[in-house]
């Protein structure tokens, strides 16, 4: 189901998706682990294991930094038969724009080339792209469409490290946003109050989201 600005869900509508949990095995595979949760929800027959986690990271990693970007995750979903859309409030290089210190010039050039290459592959596979601020209203509508949104947040919400971190959003109601955090050793559903969303969604002000769905 597709949606646009003419399709919005009332702010008090609750939606909860039964997205299974998968814990990441490596510090840099939060994106692949989050994507695996989304794919397992949409295709219960999919087998989740460490080999798939590594394969997804190989396909989507940013090379100059160990994490994965929105186009890499969307590409991995699309080549496995899922539909995907990427959203960013800046249109930039995901969270890399805010790294301190910035990668050196050779690494940044390679990073930009890699992102453009993944973006091109995504377009060929029909992955849509948009630039828009990710709000609670947007997340609610995405969830109501039975799409699983993967978003970047700051790991400071969970630990002492200041790093970008992918999570899988699983639900929303009139008070909370619910999500699976792939680094959570206790494998439990997490939640955050809706007024905190502007700070929670994004890393140092740069927002990235990948939504995954099937027919």
């Amino acid at each position: 189901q597709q949606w646009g600005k003419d399709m919005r869900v009332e702010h008090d509508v609750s939606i909860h998706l039964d997205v299974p949990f998968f814990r990441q095995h490596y510090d840099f595979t939060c994106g692949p682990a989050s994507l695996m949760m989304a794919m397992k929800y949409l295709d219960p027959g999919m087998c989740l294991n460490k080999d798939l986690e590594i394969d997804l990271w190989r396909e989507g990693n940013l090379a100059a930094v160990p994490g994965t970007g929105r186009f890499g995750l969307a590409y991995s979903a699309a080549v496995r038969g899922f539909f995907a859309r990427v959203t960013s409030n800046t249109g930039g290089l995901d969270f890399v724009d805010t790294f301190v210190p910035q990668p050196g010039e050779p690494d940044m050039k390679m990073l930009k080339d890699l992102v453009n290459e993944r973006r091109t592959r995504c377009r060929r596979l029909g992955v849509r792209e948009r630039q828009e601020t990710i709000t609670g209203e947007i997340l609610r509508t995405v969830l109501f469409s039975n799409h699983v949104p993967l978003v970047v947040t700051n790991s400071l919400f969970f630990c002492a490290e200041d790093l970008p971190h992918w999570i899988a959003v699983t639900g929303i109601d009139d008070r909370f946003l619910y999500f699976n955090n792939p680094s959570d050793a206790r494998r439990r559903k997490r939640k955050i109050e809706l007024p905190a969303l502007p700070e929670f969604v994004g890393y140092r002000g740069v927002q990235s989201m990948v939504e995954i769905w099937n027919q």
Side-chain angles (χ1 to χ4, degrees):
Q1 180 180 4
Q2 297 298 313
W3 64 277
K5 292 185 181 299
D6 59 340
M7 177 183 173
R8 297 298 187 187
V9 179
E10 295 297 327
H11 67 87
D12 58 347
V13 171
S14 298
I15 179 71
H16 295 273
L17 308 182
D18 189 19
V19 178
F21 186 90
F22 181 84
R23 189 182 182 199
Q24 65 190 83
H25 288 87
Y26 307 97
D27 290 343
F28 46 83
T29 55
C30 54
S34 297
L35 175 58
M36 290 165 70
M37 294 188 239
M39 293 192 298
K40 180 70 172 179
Y41 167 74
L42 297 166
D43 179 8
M46 174 169 282
C47 180
L48 304 187
N49 53 47
K50 190 185 293 187
D51 289 343
L52 176 59
E53 182 182 3
I54 293 172
D55 282 345
L56 295 174
W57 178 79
R58 285 172 177 162
E59 292 172 3
N61 80 85
L62 293 167
V65 295
T68 45
R70 64 190 187 280
F71 293 107
L73 295 176
Y75 169 78
S76 291
V79 296
R80 288 168 175 81
F82 298 94
F83 295 91
R85 171 166 32 199
V86 298
T87 302
S88 168
N89 66 333
T90 67
L93 302 176
D94 291 296
F95 40 80
V96 182
D97 294 343
T98 60
F99 271 8
V100 179
Q102 284 277 293
E105 183 58 32
D107 286 340
M108 284 299 291
K109 183 180 185 307
M110 178 177 64
L111 177 62
K112 291 176 182 178
D113 289 343
L114 180 60
V115 169
N116 287 333
E117 188 269 347
R118 291 291 103 166
R119 176 188 269 125
T120 299
R121 285 178 179 260
C122 282
R123 288 174 176 168
R124 289 173 181 166
L125 291 168
V127 174
R128 297 188 178 188
E129 177 184 356
R130 64 180 173 177
Q131 184 173 330
E132 189 171 357
T133 299
I134 302 165
T135 63
E137 180 186 33
I138 284 178
L139 289 169
R140 191 184 305 273
T141 305
V142 169
L143 290 162
F144 194 76
S145 300
N146 203 37
H147 299 187
V148 183
L150 316 177
V151 300
V152 171
T153 185
N154 193 319
S155 60
L156 283 174
F157 283 97
F158 316 113
C159 64
E161 293 183 302
D162 181 6
L163 294 170
H165 183 64
W166 286 98
I167 58 171
V169 177
T170 64
I172 194 170
D173 57 27
D174 60 345
R175 294 185 59 197
F176 298 104
L177 182 80
Y178 300 85
F179 58 93
N180 286 352
N181 170 18
S183 68
D184 191 345
R186 299 180 64 181
R187 298 171 177 259
R188 61 180 176 175
K189 297 287 185 185
R190 293 274 196 158
K191 62 184 180 182
I192 189 164
E193 293 184 348
L194 294 185
L197 279 188
E199 181 181 2
F200 181 75
V201 177
Y203 179 75
R204 297 182 179 176
V206 177
Q207 298 179 330
S208 292
M209 176 175 72
V210 181
E211 55 187 283
I212 310 297
W213 72 97
N214 57 14
Q215 294 286 55

